[in-house]
Structure formats: structure tokens, C-alpha cells
């Protein structure tokens, strides 16, 4: 992973990921920064690597079960195998409404004790908390085998104010 010049805001950084394994490793590194109560929103085109990153998060958090796309079940809970928080993995792709439609998932109840990762969560889960980490994954679209991904991490709220996300580029 390469990092460009120093970020404008210490709670924002950009990186370049050149393979699925690097995306998974980014998830493992990110897991070290996360704690119970954290909301992580992932955005990006289909096939950008959101689930691959979440798989790495699950490995880094030490949770039970294979982390796979919850597209058809909407959400999966992966309990911790140790003393860390469980991972709640949500795929909001098929949900058209905002937080109202997601209330059945009881994410507000799970949030204080879990790390919640929501793929396709923009415009749907921001009301859960003022503090969240947004990862936007950009890839070349069209007929390409290009594995390069540009990942922008933005920390929002007091929890992430002053966080040095550039440690993820190491």
C-alpha cells in the first residue's frame, strides 16, 4: 500500500491498494483501531472490495464465522472468539429507505457493544451516531482487470477527531 503526501486533516487519509490481499490486510490493520461502539460505513462500486476489507476486519477483531457478503440476509453477527467486540456486518444495498427501514435490525441496540460495518450505508445509517468512520473505495470501472483501489478514510465526529489514520499505510 502506498500513501500519498500528508493528509489535509489527521482524521482523513487516502491509500492505494493493489490487490485483494492488501485490501484484506487493510481490514486487519483497521481492526486494531476499532472498539465497541464504532460504526464503519463502506461505499464503492460493486466488486470494489468492501466485503474483502470486512473479511480482514473480522480476522483482525478475532470473530467467529466466515465473513461473507450478507446481501440476501441483510445482516450477520459474528461473535468475538476472545474478549473483543462482536462484528455486525450489514449490507444495505437492497434497502431503499433510511434509518427507519433499518430499525428492524436493531443496530442502535447493537452499536454500544459491537463494531458495526455497513456496506452501502450512505444516507441510511448516519443518524445512528455522530461518530463514524467512512471508507470510500474507488476502482476503475468497465472492462478491466485493474486491481488498483483508491481508499479514502474519513473520520467523522469526536471519536475520530485527531485520529491518525495514516498509521494504516504502514
Amino acid at each position: 500500500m502506498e500513501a500519498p503526501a500528508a493528509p489535509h486533516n489527521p482524521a482523513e487519509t487516502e491509500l492505494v491498494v493493489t490487490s485483494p490481499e492488501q485490501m484484506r490486510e487493510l481490514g486487519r490493520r483497521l481492526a486494531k483501531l476499532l472498539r465497541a461502539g464504532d460504526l464503519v460505513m463502506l461505499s464503492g462500486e460493486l466488486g470494489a472490495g468492501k466485503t474483502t476489507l470486512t473479511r480482514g476486519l473480522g480476522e483482525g477483531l478475532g470473530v467467529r464465522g466466515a465473513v461473507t457478503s450478507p446481501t440476501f440476509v441483510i445482516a450477520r453477527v459474528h461473535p468475538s472468539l476472545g474478549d473483543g467486540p462482536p462484528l455486525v456486518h450489514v449490507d444495505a444495498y437492497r434497502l431503499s429507505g433510511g434509518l427507519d427501514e433499518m430499525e428492524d435490525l436493531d443496530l442502535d441496540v447493537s452499536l454500544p457493544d459491537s463494531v458495526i460495518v455497513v456496506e452501502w450505508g450512505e444516507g441510511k445509517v448516519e443518524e445512528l451516531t455522530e461518530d463514524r468512520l467512512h471508507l470510500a473505495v474507488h476502482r476503475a470501472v468497465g472492462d478491466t482487470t485493474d486491481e488498483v483501489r483508491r481508499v479514502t478514510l474519513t473520520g467523522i465526529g469526536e471519536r475520530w477527531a485527531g485520529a491518525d489514520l495514516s498509521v494504516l499505510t504502514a
Side-chain angles (χ1 to χ4, degrees):
M1 289 179 274
E2 310 169 11
H8 305 292
N9 170 351
E12 180 173 303
T13 196
E14 293 186 18
L15 6 130
V16 175
V17 176
T18 60
S19 70
E21 182 49 42
Q22 281 189 357
M23 185 66 79
R24 204 165 170 167
E25 178 59 27
L26 174 59
R28 288 189 287 265
R29 287 183 183 162
L30 179 58
K32 294 175 184 174
L33 298 179
L34 297 176
R35 62 184 186 218
D38 283 341
L39 172 64
V40 180
M41 291 175 28
L42 303 178
S43 64
E45 299 87 4
L46 287 170
K50 297 177 296 294
T51 300
T52 299
L53 182 130
T54 306
R55 191 169 293 124
L57 272 173
E59 292 168 3
L61 290 171
V63 299
R64 185 177 67 210
V67 175
T68 59
S69 178
T71 300
F72 296 103
V73 295
I74 309 300
R76 282 196 174 96
V77 177
H78 298 275
S80 175
L81 292 171
D83 58 358
L87 171 66
V88 178
H89 183 198
V90 180
D91 186 333
Y93 182 75
R94 297 188 180 283
L95 303 177
S96 58
L99 188 58
D100 290 342
E101 187 174 359
M102 298 195 68
E103 277 186 0
D104 289 341
L105 299 176
D106 288 331
L107 295 179
D108 55 335
V109 174
S110 300
L111 184 58
D113 302 317
S114 306
V115 169
I116 297 181
V117 175
V118 182
E119 296 185 33
W120 307 95
E122 286 181 285
K124 298 174 184 166
V125 297
E126 289 89 341
E127 294 174 26
L128 278 174
T129 179
E130 293 178 9
D131 300 311
R132 61 192 170 276
L133 184 61
H134 181 214
L135 280 76
V137 183
H138 305 282
R139 70 172 182 91
V141 293
D143 188 19
T144 180
T145 58
D146 189 355
E147 293 288 341
V148 173
R149 306 294 192 259
R150 299 194 183 287
V151 182
T152 303
L153 298 95
T154 306
I156 301 165
E158 188 176 323
R159 157 75 171 100
W160 296 102
D164 185 8
L165 299 175
S166 68
V167 300
L168 297 170
T169 62

